[in-house]
Amino acid sequence: MIEAELKACVQTPEETLRRLDERAVGRAEVYQDTYYDTAEGALEARDEELRVRTVHGADATRTVLTYKGPPVDEGSGSKPEHETSVEDAQAVHALLRGLGYVPVVVFEKRCRNYAFEARGRQMLATLVRVPELDGTFLELETLVEDEELQGALDDIRAVLAELGIGADDFTREQYTAAVRARRAGVADREKNA
């Protein structure tokens, strides 16, 4: 399956939150994300991702292991996604390290998730704050077969417009890159202080 997804910088978070609340009941969750790669950065070089995510919700904590292949659509960055639940988070971290993968970035995302149907598709909207980054982001995604990707992206664009998000708000910047850049900038300032 392809994760058809668009991400945007939200200009009016309160208004976007209000519009999302009209569509579905939101779930507040905190994601603890650890991204792995080889020591040589082979996955990043191929634009692939290997992630362990532990999700802390109001009633439960769960962990998922995710592999995302290279983008199949350059405009959106949509990628094939393979994900499975993990019973023991520490065991999967140890397994990945044992296979030679190293954690390259670890960070937290504070999310409010909304699952709803729109345009005949099951969609997930996630309003995101990353404490280390400025701004609020909105991710809107649906899982589709390869041949449905362009239609799904058109539907996502239409729903985003209904939520007050315009094409000028879209971004392909990945949280991993933004967090690493922010940390490098902080380290440089501390070194030069």
Side-chain angles (χ1 to χ4, degrees), residues 73-95:
D73 179 77
E74 286 305 313
S76 67
S78 295
K79 296 180 169 194
E81 178 177 286
H82 307 280
E83 188 168 84
T84 189
S85 296
V86 172
E87 204 168 303
D88 184 339
Q90 294 313 309
V92 86
H93 285 288
L95 181 145

Side-chain angles (χ1 to χ4, degrees), residues 21-34:
D21 283 336
E22 290 173 353
R23 288 186 178 261
V25 175
R27 291 184 328 274
E29 297 178 319
V30 176
Y31 297 177
Q32 298 290 329
D33 286 353
T34 303

Side-chain angles (χ1 to χ4, degrees), residues 21-193:
D21 283 336
E22 290 173 353
R23 288 186 178 261
V25 175
R27 291 184 328 274
E29 297 178 319
V30 176
Y31 297 177
Q32 298 290 329
D33 286 353
T34 303
Y35 284 81
Y36 285 88
D37 203 341
T38 64
E40 301 79 27
L43 294 176
E44 183 177 12
R46 296 188 305 258
D47 207 0
E48 298 171 314
E49 300 172 43
L50 181 59
R51 178 186 70 211
V52 176
R53 169 176 285 166
T54 298
V55 180
H56 303 279
D59 301 324
T61 296
R62 68 187 190 284
T63 300
V64 291
L65 173 65
T66 306
Y67 164 75
K68 292 186 182 187
V72 294
D73 179 77
E74 286 305 313
S76 67
S78 295
K79 296 180 169 194
E81 178 177 286
H82 307 280
E83 188 168 84
T84 189
S85 296
V86 172
E87 204 168 303
D88 184 339
Q90 294 313 309
V92 86
H93 285 288
L95 181 145
L96 292 173
R97 286 190 304 272
L99 290 171
Y101 292 101
V102 294
V104 291
V105 65
V106 178
F107 62 95
E108 178 181 284
K109 290 170 63 176
R110 296 179 185 160
C111 302
R112 187 156 186 85
N113 291 298
Y114 295 84
F116 55 88
E117 185 176 317
R119 301 186 176 270
R121 300 180 189 280
Q122 291 302 313
M123 295 197 180
L124 178 66
T126 305
L127 203 57
V128 178
R129 289 269 312 129
V130 177
E132 295 177 69
L133 303 177
D134 296 329
T136 300
F137 303 91
L138 179 63
E139 303 167 12
L140 186 59
E141 66 185 61
T142 188
L143 291 175
V144 297
E145 297 291 338
D146 221 2
E147 64 276 2
E148 297 177 79
L149 180 60
Q150 291 310 314
L153 289 171
D154 289 342
D155 290 342
I156 289 170
R157 285 183 192 92
V159 173
L160 286 170
E162 293 167 7
L163 294 171
I165 305 295
D168 290 347
D169 299 320
F170 294 169
T171 180
R172 285 225 28 229
E173 183 176 33
Q174 295 182 333
Y175 300 115
T176 52
V179 166
R180 291 195 312 204
R182 174 63 59 100
R183 290 177 184 171
V186 168
D188 286 346
R189 285 191 296 280
E190 288 174 355
K191 190 168 88 174
N192 293 327

